[in-house]
Amino acid sequence: MGDQGFAYTLDEALTTIGFGNFQVIILAYAGLGWVAEAMEMMLLSFVGPAIQPEWGLSSSEESLISTVAFAGMLVGAYSWGVVSDSYGRKKGFLGAAIVTSGAGLLSAFAPNYISLLILRCFVGVGLGCGHVFTSWFLEFVPTPNRGAWMVVFSVFWTVGTIIEASLAWWIMPTYGWRWLLGLSAVPSLVALLFYGLVSESPRYLCTQGRLTEARYILEKGADFNHKELPVGLLVSDQIKDMASNGQSSETTELLSSMRTNDSSRRSTSSILMLLSPKLIRTTFLLWFLYFANTFSYYGIILLTSQLSTGQSECDPPTLQLENIKDPSLYINVFITSLAELPGLGIAALILDRLGRKISMEIMIVAGFILLLPLVVHQNPIMTTGFLFGARMFISASFIVVCIYAPEVYPTNLRTRGVGIATAIGRIGGMVCPLIAVGMGSGCHQTLPVILFEVTILVSGISVVLLPFETKGKELADNIDLPVQHVLQVQ
């Protein structure tokens, strides 16, 4: 078929054009989205301790500032996944950028505690689109060395945390938390301004039967990379496999037309597919891994700020105000933010060599060991050191999970499947402030650390039980179904 009777798939096209200038542009925009999310999440470590003495909040009211943000992310993660699978990745980016930048800027002017909670919840809804940036970038990357490039993409999250820690160190002692909230919304505003310059995912377009648009984007990518596409006609993986197996052209046309089903029908079938016998084990294990990693990762971040402010609730209110101006808080958070860089370096070295599952196990075990000494009180230097090591490996484990999940789900389920897993992970984010802030600031360090350790241990067991390894595997567009079953569905 096509020129000289040849056909090629999207993976073959991406491998031919390679990773070049085109993917660098995609990487920059997707990375900007992750920088924005990382900054908005990291500021929770600083805003809560600053607002608590200023507005006379209890520790539970302080922790609620973080909890409502995670609640918003729970809603946003699923919602933007549905939007992105039904209407395209770019539509998700547009909506999320508007919500995040608007609510983020308005929260800097919040007149009272209730209005701040509402606006931070809306910021969380916008931030729930973060996983769509991961899936979108993944869909442009050639299969060879895909793991390494996804780790490079993950560096943007770490860059965002470092920028936020540096910004807080500069802004908070002099200008206060309102300036920090306003400036932290700038990356989302920039993402909104540059929205029109990015391309829709050709893999998404292929699943919708929009092969002409997908080929146009691939041609543009080949031109940017100074390469040429394979000779022939772009076809979906499923159609090419069926053609090679001798299926009729009528069946091929029927499968192409099925991709145009209405969104509500796709939504129902997608949820059922996630819980189908082929995926149900992976789905449930990923739900727990997202929960456990979110709970542990943000727990370590919040523990860092709590342990750095001198166990604030044990101190009188006047000393709490002084703790906010104490540079040790910002220095410790900045140092532990740097911990993510060596963690990412280790992940980049072993991810494509050892595989996703073994890499996750190594990170989880190391994080468990390094967090264990904090079950009992340590001196400030030892505390910062152990938190540095624990965050290095737990953040790397989280990154590998975020790479594995979009690889294991097919394109027509990818952002929705990862979105639901991310939403469940945000429940862990909602719970961890109540433990890290509520118990930590009440001078009870042992119990929250034990809870984090148990969660990390069980997550390690979950990784062992995952049925699929995705190292070196091409991304699937659909769950493989017998042709006769597909015909019955129509």
Side-chain angles (χ1 to χ4, degrees):
M1 61 182 76
D3 298 340
Q4 303 179 17
F6 294 112
Y8 61 89
T9 65
L10 181 60
D11 280 307
E12 291 168 346
L14 290 173
T15 300
T16 300
I17 68 175
F19 194 102
N21 295 332
F22 181 63
Q23 281 85 356
V24 169
I25 295 171
I26 302 298
L27 174 64
Y29 188 81
L32 179 63
W34 259 39
V35 167
E37 181 178 353
M39 290 180 65
E40 291 284 4
M41 295 311 300
M42 273 298 295
L43 68 79
L44 298 174
S45 299
F46 308 106
V47 171
I51 292 176
Q52 183 185 26
E54 181 177 328
W55 286 358
L57 305 179
S58 65
S59 61
S60 60
E61 288 174 323
E62 177 196 345
S63 65
L64 195 58
I65 298 171
S66 298
T67 298
V68 296
F70 283 107
M73 294 179 77
L74 187 155
V75 174
Y78 175 73
S79 301
W80 298 123
V82 171
V83 169
S84 299
D85 275 342
S86 301
Y87 305 105
R89 305 336 187 197
K90 287 188 64 177
K91 294 293 191 300
F93 299 157
L94 178 61
I98 292 172
V99 173
T100 305
S101 58
L105 290 171
L106 288 174
S107 64
F109 302 95
N112 53 52
Y113 176 69
I114 297 300
S115 62
L116 180 66
L117 289 181
I118 294 171
L119 288 167
R120 296 314 297 177
C121 184
F122 274 104
V123 170
V125 171
L127 296 178
C129 191
H131 68 91
V132 181
F133 286 101
T134 307
S135 297
W136 178 67
F137 174 66
L138 179 74
E139 291 169 351
F140 284 92
V141 180
T143 301
N145 301 318
R146 186 173 63 218
W149 280 114
M150 291 305 295
V151 172
V152 171
F153 165 70
S154 302
V155 170
F156 284 92
W157 176 276
T158 303
V159 169
T161 64
I162 293 172
I163 291 174
E164 188 66 24
S166 305
L167 198 61
W169 193 353
W170 170 47
I171 293 292
M172 289 285 286
T174 305
Y175 301 101
W177 58 270
R178 293 185 184 276
W179 276 95
L180 184 65
L181 285 175
L183 291 174
S184 297
V186 170
S188 295
L189 185 60
V190 174
L192 179 60
L193 294 175
F194 285 95
Y195 161 79
L197 300 180
V198 297
S199 301
E200 181 56 86
S201 163
R203 194 174 294 274
Y204 164 78
L205 294 172
C206 285
T207 64
Q208 304 302 303
R210 297 157 61 181
L211 298 178
T212 302
E213 296 174 62
R215 182 184 172 98
Y216 172 76
I217 292 171
L218 291 172
E219 288 174 342
K220 184 170 66 173
D223 185 58
F224 269 95
N225 291 356
H226 306 293
K227 299 288 182 66
E228 292 186 0
L229 288 176
V231 175
L233 181 69
L234 174 66
V235 298
S236 72
D237 292 320
Q238 189 176 14
I239 290 176
K240 186 171 183 181
D241 289 343
M242 294 180 66
S244 65
N245 290 331
Q247 301 294 338
S248 67
S249 60
E250 290 82 2
T251 302
T252 299
E253 291 172 4
L254 178 57
L255 287 171
S256 298
S257 68
M258 287 170 59
R259 292 191 176 91
T260 62
N261 287 342
D262 60 274
S263 60
S264 62
R265 185 171 171 182
R266 283 198 307 269
S267 175
T268 302
S269 62
S270 295
I271 300 299
L272 293 177
M273 286 180 185
L274 290 173
L275 300 178
S276 67
K278 196 167 186 176
L279 288 177
I280 189 168
R281 181 175 165 186
T282 300
T283 294
F284 281 136
L285 289 171
L286 281 176
W287 286 356
F288 177 76
L289 282 171
Y290 267 79
F291 174 90
N293 276 279
T294 305
F295 179 77
S296 304
Y297 175 77
Y298 289 110
I300 291 172
I301 291 175
L302 291 172
L303 272 179
T304 302
S305 63
Q306 289 299 311
L307 298 180
S308 298
T309 53
Q311 307 258 355
S312 59
E313 207 163 271
C314 299
D315 299 326
T318 54
L319 189 53
Q320 291 180 40
L321 286 168
E322 292 301 317
N323 285 331
I324 301 305
K325 298 182 180 296
D326 188 348
S328 65
L329 166 63
Y330 309 104
I331 293 172
N332 289 343
V333 175
F334 179 81
I335 290 173
T336 53
S337 296
L338 292 175
E340 297 186 18
L341 290 175
L344 289 171
I346 295 171
L349 289 173
I350 68 176
L351 197 59
D352 282 324
R353 292 178 172 85
L354 302 181
R356 283 43 166 165
K357 291 179 60 176
I358 295 178
S359 298
M360 279 188 273
E361 284 293 349
I362 291 172
M363 306 301 179
I364 288 170
V365 170
F368 177 88
I369 292 171
L370 286 165
L371 191 61
L372 191 59
L374 293 180
V375 170
V376 296
H377 182 73
Q378 305 287 337
N379 65 58
I381 295 177
M382 295 293 287
T383 297
T384 301
F386 286 126
L387 287 170
F388 182 98
R391 182 165 173 181
M392 176 173 69
F393 288 107
I394 295 303
S395 65
S397 169
F398 201 175
I399 290 300
V400 179
V401 172
C402 291
I403 293 172
Y404 175 86
E407 287 182 331
V408 83
Y409 283 128
T411 301
N412 62 333
L413 300 176
R414 184 164 296 123
T415 59
R416 196 166 312 188
V418 178
I420 295 173
T422 303
I424 291 173
R426 299 314 177 193
I427 298 174
M430 293 166 62
V431 174
C432 83
L434 304 176
I435 295 172
V437 177
M439 294 182 181
S441 64
C443 301
H444 304 294
Q445 177 178 333
T446 299
L447 185 55
V449 173
I450 290 175
L451 288 173
F452 293 135
E453 286 285 73
V454 171
T455 305
I456 293 169
L457 180 63
V458 178
S459 68
I461 297 172
S462 300
V463 172
V464 174
L465 298 176
L466 285 170
F468 301 117
E469 173 57 63
T470 59
K471 182 186 76 169
K473 302 289 180 65
E474 291 185 351
L475 299 181
D477 285 339
N478 297 278
I479 296 178
D480 294 329
L481 293 172
V483 176
Q484 55 268 35
H485 176 76
V486 175
L487 293 173
Q488 290 168 2
V489 172
Q490 180 67 13

